[in-house]
Amino acid sequence: MPPNTTASTGQQPGKSGRKKGRKARLVVIVLVLAIIGGVAYGAYWSISTVRASFPQTTGSITLEGLSGPVEVKRDGYGIPQIYASTDEDLFMAQGYVQAQDRFYEMDVRRHMTSGRLSEMFGEGQVDNDEFLRTLGWHRVAKEEYDSKLSASTKKYLQAYAKGVNAYLEGRSGEELSLEYAALGFVNDYEPEAWTPVDSVAWLKAMAWDLRGNMEDEIDRALATSRLGPKQIQDLYPRYPYGRNKAIVQEGQFDELTGAFAQEGASSGDGTGTGTGTGTGAAGDGSGTGTAGASGATGLESQLSGLYDVLEDLPTAVGVNGNGIGSNSWVVSGEHTITGKPLLANDPHLSASLPSVWYQMGLHCTSRSAKCQFDVSGYTFAGLPGVIIGHNQDISWGMTNSGVDVTDLYLEKLTGDGYQYDGKVKPFTTREETIKVAGGEAKTIVVRETVNGPLLSDRSDELVKVGRKASVDTAAPDRGDGYGISLRWTALDPGTSMDAVFAMDKAENWTDFRAAAALFEVPSQNLVYADTQDHIGYTLPGKIPTRAQGVDGSIPQPGWNSEYRWTGYIPQDELPYEYDPARGYIVTANQAVIDKDKYPYTLTTDWGYGTRSQRITDLIKSKIDDGGKVSTDDMRQMQLDNSSEIAKLLVPKLLKIDIDDPDVREAQKLLEGWDYTQDADSAAAAYFNSVWRNILKLAFGNKLPKELRVKGQCLWVDPVSTTGPADEAEKVRECGRRDADQAQPDGGDRWFEVVRNLMADEDSDWWQTPSSGTRPKADNRDQLFERALIDARWELTAKLGKDIDTWSWGRLHRLFLKNQTLGTEGPGFLQYVLNRGPWKLSGGEATVNATGWNAAGGYGVIWVPSMRMVVNLGDLDKSKWINLTGASGHAYNAHYTDQTDAWADGELLDWSFSKDAVDKSTSDTLVLEP
């Protein structure tokens, strides 16, 4: 039986109009489940069955283990604010409430992080489980819990798990979530108890999707099969430090003391401490690789085997790292209406349903040694504490730093071992047994070298890599080939879970810096503001150092110890800023610091700064005009749809002389266009189609098949050239990569590629052969003309011949999909669980970053997964919104009740003080001991 309850109401009232048609849709669920089951008793399912998993949000519930009563106050969007008198009660209640709303999501995540998806979904997930077991996320999380985390963190994790398990007790699958009812038709899966390690392991999934440049490392190696070194360098240009400013502009690294310091920073600024030594050459952002190239430059096209494995992994926190970014910035009180700082954040992640984020507040009724928290913001279902948000004194935001914390190594395998510095070392091995719903269990052996787990054991394609990889004469004899291993900071036990609670309790910059130093993986850009009118930025993380001349941009020879990491950058030598004179700090995945100001290589693959510079320009424009920035100004900046690549290309495109009247009609859309990509803009639709076709003609058709879209076939030269060739010499090759991962993706790296080539009008890149009735191009303007023509007829096919009916939103649509049964389940079940489409504004490398992949199409694949603006002058005037809603239950009033407002660029009121929370409360649930 479930815990004792009184005055249960099941679900809380939704907004006016939200219930319209709900009964009819619930009846559809009944029919769907009957069809899926294929058995007569499915017909007896009722609306009450569908509603069985909705949370109780009023009345009272008795929970064994609480030391005192806990109040759970939910506003009209179902967002909970929890009030307790001890830390343990607070986190126990957090676990209970998150399980009420999102347990199925939590359960899927822990099965993913532990490589146990096959237990839920059957043999189709075995390959994923093998790869995830090889990485060993859950095993490393257990090591962290056992040996690295503080006693207080363990106490909080245990309390959280106790709360989750209190919710599970006595509840059947269908009482936990509709998805379990559907799974019950195909297997006898039953959820098991939650553990503290399940929570810790989710940080590994977060780290995986924010791990840095591994895809770029693979892509550069793949490109060598068709492109020469100069061509690859063209496609990975240097970071434009002179045009797009780095994050840290006023800090300096002191070569004498070996410490990073900012002139004028106040004393006691919490520089933090760190361990590890080593040196590394400063990176220039070229991304082309230096030393070590002779050991592994030619992994040939078979390296796509690793990319295939990565593509198949379930979506967790992002699109496997490619193109993902975030915006966060802070403005000091000197430049704001309130006289206190404003802080904005919107992480860009893949769209999922429910949203990866969960909004909530954790409040001690009276702060003391036994109850230390008063914090509100965004966390993950399954994780105690708050990841991004504010407490009573400070606020913080995060963006992915992009620092290089992964390296791939070629390994020379010899019998039961591998070659290392002229000797054969034995593998470190472990057995993993994968249980399969409805099938036989499978046992695998995971082998590790000194560099890390052997990923090539999980893929036949990776075995081919070792057979074909180009190496120099100093390399060991190939024999049967080489293996591929992964070195990654997240595979070492760390303290990131300690950092979450330390940040939640921090009262000032010193506390915050000390807390950030614990956030080892993933490395994030952290922006800071406090109620005392201080702002700051710090780069924490466990960031490796490499030997002189080794920059981590390409796979390295694992048989030579000279290519191993030499240590880690000490925390007090990592870049930071505190109260910079300019009065604002912007982070949007650009370079952290100018290469000439810092002796270490952080990465060679920064984002190229398009979004960060646009945000900077918007702030400067406001300040330079003598204005003061408001909360709504910050919101409007988050919604900026300006296309920076359009500003570069449109003046050139308008000079092209077009004969075809239909194409000329489309070209005229660009005349007077303000470069804003609003959903209703026909000009934005046409320009983005032109941009897509420029990329395809100039670059996409010249890339190797492993980087191109799966199924798209071309006749190409059978040699490493991009120049024209006799048609008779060409061979047919078809792309192999999923559409949302293919190249050229159209991000701001490609902005920079095209910008650098604009002056070279006769570059080989601008040359493309004729195709059907389309003319060939021998120079830039001829290729632009071809793109204008191709775009006109592409949109005619997609949107119709009448350009008055065109709009960017008709092309650029968001579909929200349940990340398990909503993508892999039967069509009827997908209809039940999924939502959309929404026609969106914004675009790639735009501040309003509704990302799309130019190689694959126009559909939205990543989004601002949440938006917030924190007002440090009056925290109750802060604003926030989530992509979907608080609930993970389909047809609950709060399943997607924030999405319409999110799509329209609106923000919701964010109550924090007790009085404000009471005024906004719709439902109150009391958890009693």
Side-chain angles (χ1 to χ4, degrees):
M1 295 291 292
N4 296 325
T5 63
T6 60
S8 173
T9 63
Q11 80 170 82
Q12 63 182 26
K15 296 173 69 176
S16 175
R18 297 290 187 191
K19 292 185 177 179
K20 185 177 181 180
R22 187 171 298 139
K23 280 194 174 182
R25 292 195 298 268
L26 290 172
V27 171
V28 171
I29 297 177
V30 177
L31 297 175
V32 168
L33 293 175
I35 293 170
I36 293 171
V39 290
Y41 65 79
Y44 294 97
W45 282 47
S46 66
I47 292 175
S48 61
T49 303
V50 176
R51 294 169 60 96
S53 60
F54 288 8
Q56 177 183 338
T57 59
T58 63
S60 63
I61 298 176
T62 300
L63 291 187
E64 183 178 348
L66 289 175
S67 65
V70 177
E71 285 189 315
V72 182
K73 297 175 179 288
R74 292 180 184 257
D75 66 11
Y77 287 89
I79 300 171
Q81 304 283 339
I82 300 176
Y83 291 85
S85 55
T86 70
D87 291 338
E88 291 92 331
D89 285 355
L90 193 64
F91 292 114
M92 182 177 177
Q94 184 182 16
Y96 186 89
V97 170
Q98 287 193 344
Q100 280 187 306
D101 287 335
R102 300 275 194 98
F103 181 74
Y104 176 76
E105 175 194 5
M106 294 163 59
D107 200 16
V108 170
R109 284 180 176 176
R110 68 165 164 178
H111 278 78
M112 182 186 72
T113 58
S114 58
R116 296 170 54 205
L117 287 168
S118 300
E119 294 179 20
M120 296 185 74
F121 305 109
E123 62 182 359
Q125 294 297 323
V126 169
D127 289 346
N128 283 330
D129 284 346
E130 289 185 17
F131 187 74
L132 293 165
R133 293 285 185 98
T134 299
L135 290 176
W137 291 349
H138 199 269
R139 178 181 57 85
V140 177
K142 188 176 187 308
E143 291 182 39
E144 288 185 2
Y145 182 80
D146 290 342
S147 63
K148 286 287 189 177
L149 299 182
S150 68
S152 61
T153 292
K154 290 182 180 180
K155 181 174 64 176
Y156 302 151
L157 288 164
Q158 291 162 1
Y160 180 89
K162 186 192 297 184
V164 175
N165 292 329
Y167 183 72
L168 297 181
E169 185 178 355
R171 284 184 166 85
S172 65
E174 68 182 47
E175 292 174 304
L176 294 173
S177 184
L178 172 66
E179 289 91 335
Y180 289 117
L183 282 177
F185 285 112
V186 294
N187 65 52
D188 57 358
Y189 173 80
E190 292 184 7
E192 62 191 33
W194 192 264
T195 73
V197 176
D198 292 334
S199 295
V200 178
W202 181 240
L203 286 176
K204 299 301 175 186
M206 177 183 175
W208 177 254
D209 280 314
L210 303 174
R211 63 194 176 276
N213 75 334
M214 196 163 103
E215 278 76 19
D216 287 316
E217 192 172 335
I218 294 170
D219 284 357
R220 274 190 291 267
L222 292 174
T224 60
S225 67
R226 283 222 155 260
L227 304 178
K230 173 60 169 65
Q231 293 166 318
I232 294 174
Q233 188 173 9
D234 287 344
L235 302 187
Y236 288 88
R238 296 174 182 270
Y239 184 89
Y241 289 99
R243 186 174 67 253
N244 296 340
K245 299 297 184 185
I247 297 171
V248 174
Q249 299 175 35
E250 298 177 27
Q252 296 291 333
F253 185 84
D254 190 325
E255 297 280 3
L256 295 177
T257 64
F260 193 90
Q262 181 185 331
E263 186 176 348
S266 59
S267 60
D269 60 4
T271 57
T273 60
T275 59
T277 59
T279 60
D284 62 5
S286 65
T288 57
T290 51
S294 62
T297 54
L299 296 196
E300 307 294 340
S301 62
Q302 273 66 31
L303 192 52
S304 62
L306 176 55
Y307 214 107
D308 291 342
V309 174
L310 302 183
E311 284 183 333
D312 289 340
L313 291 180
T315 298
V317 190
V319 193
N320 289 330
N322 248 3
I324 295 175
S326 301
N327 302 322
S328 191
W329 67 94
V330 60
V331 181
S332 71
E334 174 189 1
H335 301 304
T336 68
I337 288 175
T338 65
K340 292 294 178 67
L342 294 170
L343 185 149
N345 196 189
D346 55 288
H348 307 154
L349 303 170
S350 67
S352 61
L353 182 61
S355 167
V356 69
W357 297 109
Y358 185 92
Q359 298 154 285
M360 70 188 320
L362 302 171
H363 309 278
C364 290
T365 52
S366 177
R367 290 178 64 223
S368 64
K370 70 174 184 177
C371 200
Q372 306 169 69
F373 294 87
D374 188 16
V375 62
S376 182
Y378 298 82
T379 187
F380 303 125
L383 199 72
V386 166
I387 301 295
I388 295 173
H390 70 81
N391 61 27
Q392 71 285 348
D393 296 309
I394 74 166
S395 178
W396 65 98
M398 296 185 185
T399 65
N400 190 21
S401 70
V403 298
D404 188 359
V405 295
T406 60
D407 276 336
L408 294 172
Y409 286 91
L410 282 181
E411 303 284 2
K412 173 62 182 104
L413 311 185
T414 305
D416 293 329
Y418 60 98
Q419 191 163 325
Y420 187 71
D421 282 350
K423 299 180 180 179
V424 176
K425 292 175 66 76
F427 293 108
T428 300
T429 62
R430 67 179 190 275
E431 284 193 353
E432 298 276 355
T433 299
I434 299 170
K435 298 178 181 178
V436 182
E440 295 291 327
K442 181 176 182 179
T443 299
I444 64 171
V445 176
V446 177
R447 300 188 294 176
E448 294 190 5
T449 73
V450 69
N451 295 309
L454 208 61
L455 302 185
S456 50
D457 282 352
R458 303 284 77 85
S459 167
D460 291 339
E461 286 297 310
L462 288 180
V463 174
K464 297 177 187 176
V465 173
R467 293 175 182 164
K468 292 178 176 278
S470 297
V471 292
D472 65 11
T473 55
D477 179 67
R478 185 187 311 277
D480 290 332
Y482 302 125
I484 294 180
S485 64
L486 171 68
R487 183 79 173 98
W488 179 32
T489 54
L491 298 184
D492 298 326
T495 57
S496 293
M497 198 69 237
D498 284 340
V500 172
F501 299 113
M503 284 192 286
D504 286 355
K505 293 186 290 186
E507 297 180 357
N508 52 46
W509 174 243
T510 301
D511 291 349
F512 183 74
R513 281 270 287 166
L518 300 170
F519 205 85
E520 294 181 338
V521 177
S523 176
Q524 296 287 285
N525 295 313
L526 298 180
V527 294
Y528 165 95
D530 63 36
T531 57
Q532 302 304 307
D533 195 20
H534 298 293
I535 64 173
Y537 160 85
T538 189
L539 174 70
K542 193 173 182 181
I543 303 173
T545 56
R546 299 169 175 87
Q548 184 73 26
V550 179
D551 63 11
S553 64
I554 55 175
Q556 304 293 341
W559 50 82
N560 188 336
S561 61
E562 293 180 7
Y563 294 94
R564 291 202 73 201
W565 294 352
T566 57
Y568 301 93
I569 302 175
Q571 290 292 316
D572 59 2
E573 297 183 25
L574 289 171
Y576 76 94
E577 274 193 336
Y578 185 62
D579 287 341
R582 64 186 181 279
Y584 57 87
I585 301 170
V586 176
T587 80
N589 317 112
Q590 78 270 40
V592 168
I593 187 169
D594 194 301
K595 61 183 177 63
D596 296 328
K597 294 183 178 180
Y598 197 61
Y600 296 104
T601 297
L602 296 172
T603 186
T604 59
D605 291 298
W606 302 114
Y608 281 79
T610 301
R611 282 179 288 108
S612 62
Q613 194 57 44
R614 176 62 178 171
I615 295 166
T616 297
D617 291 344
L618 291 170
I619 295 171
K620 278 179 56 62
S621 176
K622 185 78 174 182
I623 293 172
D624 292 347
D625 288 344
K628 297 286 187 178
V629 180
S630 68
T631 299
D632 196 59
D633 288 332
M634 301 283 273
R635 180 187 71 88
Q636 293 286 356
M637 292 176 193
Q638 288 179 324
L639 302 178
D640 183 76
N641 293 319
S642 177
S643 170
E644 297 303 301
I645 190 63
K647 294 175 184 177
L648 175 69
L649 292 181
V650 166
K652 301 293 185 184
L653 294 172
L654 288 175
K655 292 180 180 179
I656 304 296
D657 188 15
I658 298 291
D659 294 328
D660 187 314
D662 291 315
V663 180
R664 175 62 183 144
E665 180 187 32
Q667 185 187 33
K668 285 183 177 180
L669 289 172
L670 305 179
E671 295 177 358
W673 179 43
D674 63 358
Y675 313 120
T676 299
Q677 301 171 98
D678 293 334
D680 61 359
S681 172
Y686 183 57
F687 172 77
N688 281 317
S689 182
V690 174
W691 169 235
R692 179 174 186 246
N693 280 280
I694 288 174
L695 291 171
K696 177 182 177 182
L697 295 169
F699 310 105
N701 291 349
K702 299 162 188 174
L703 296 177
K705 58 183 178 295
E706 291 83 8
L707 273 63
R708 300 200 315 268
V709 176
K710 189 179 296 181
Q712 291 186 1
C713 302
L714 298 169
W715 290 95
V716 300
D717 300 330
V719 293
S720 297
T721 177
T722 60
D726 184 354
E727 284 293 325
E729 298 177 359
K730 295 181 181 294
V731 295
R732 190 170 186 265
E733 287 186 351
C734 299
R736 295 184 176 180
R737 186 167 289 185
D738 286 350
D740 63 359
Q741 300 285 324
Q743 293 294 335
D745 60 20
D748 67 352
R749 172 165 68 90
W750 293 99
F751 290 14
E752 198 65 19
V753 170
V754 170
R755 184 187 299 274
N756 289 346
L757 290 170
M758 286 294 284
D760 186 1
E761 299 182 26
D762 297 317
S763 167
D764 287 348
W765 290 111
W766 299 129
Q767 299 176 24
T768 190
S770 61
S771 176
T773 61
R774 305 288 197 271
K776 71 172 184 174
D778 293 321
N779 57 47
R780 184 196 70 192
D781 287 352
Q782 289 178 3
L783 185 137
F784 283 5
E785 179 182 1
R786 168 82 176 271
L788 286 162
I789 295 169
D790 287 357
R792 176 27 158 149
W793 300 116
E794 180 187 8
L795 293 197
T796 296
K798 292 180 180 295
L799 303 179
K801 187 172 182 179
D802 184 359
I803 65 173
D804 291 337
T805 67
W806 291 2
S807 71
W808 177 224
R810 287 182 62 195
L811 291 172
H812 194 54
R813 299 186 299 167
L814 169 67
F815 291 85
L816 291 175
K817 295 185 177 182
N818 177 289
Q819 288 303 302
T820 56
L821 300 180
T823 57
E824 300 294 335
F828 282 113
L829 191 56
Q830 293 186 36
Y831 175 82
V832 169
L833 297 174
N834 299 340
R835 299 292 182 270
W838 284 265
K839 298 176 180 178
L840 297 188
S841 302
E844 184 63 35
T846 300
V847 180
N848 184 18
T850 54
W852 57 287
N853 186 300
Y858 302 97
V860 177
I861 56 176
W862 59 80
V863 295
S865 55
M866 63 79 158
R867 297 186 184 101
M868 74 175 194
V869 178
V870 180
N871 183 333
L872 278 299
D874 185 346
L875 292 169
D876 287 328
K877 291 182 179 178
S878 300
K879 303 283 185 177
W880 63 352
I881 200 162
N882 206 352
L883 173 63
T884 59
S887 179
H889 301 289
Y891 294 104
N892 182 279
H894 306 303
Y895 191 48
T896 56
D897 60 337
Q898 296 185 50
T899 309
D900 286 345
W902 172 91
D904 291 339
E906 299 173 12
L907 295 175
L908 309 179
D909 292 336
W910 182 356
S911 299
F912 179 71
S913 70
K914 185 67 163 58
D915 287 345
V917 169
D918 287 343
K919 289 178 182 178
S920 63
T921 295
S922 295
D923 287 357
T924 300
L925 173 69
V926 179
L927 304 177
E928 298 180 336

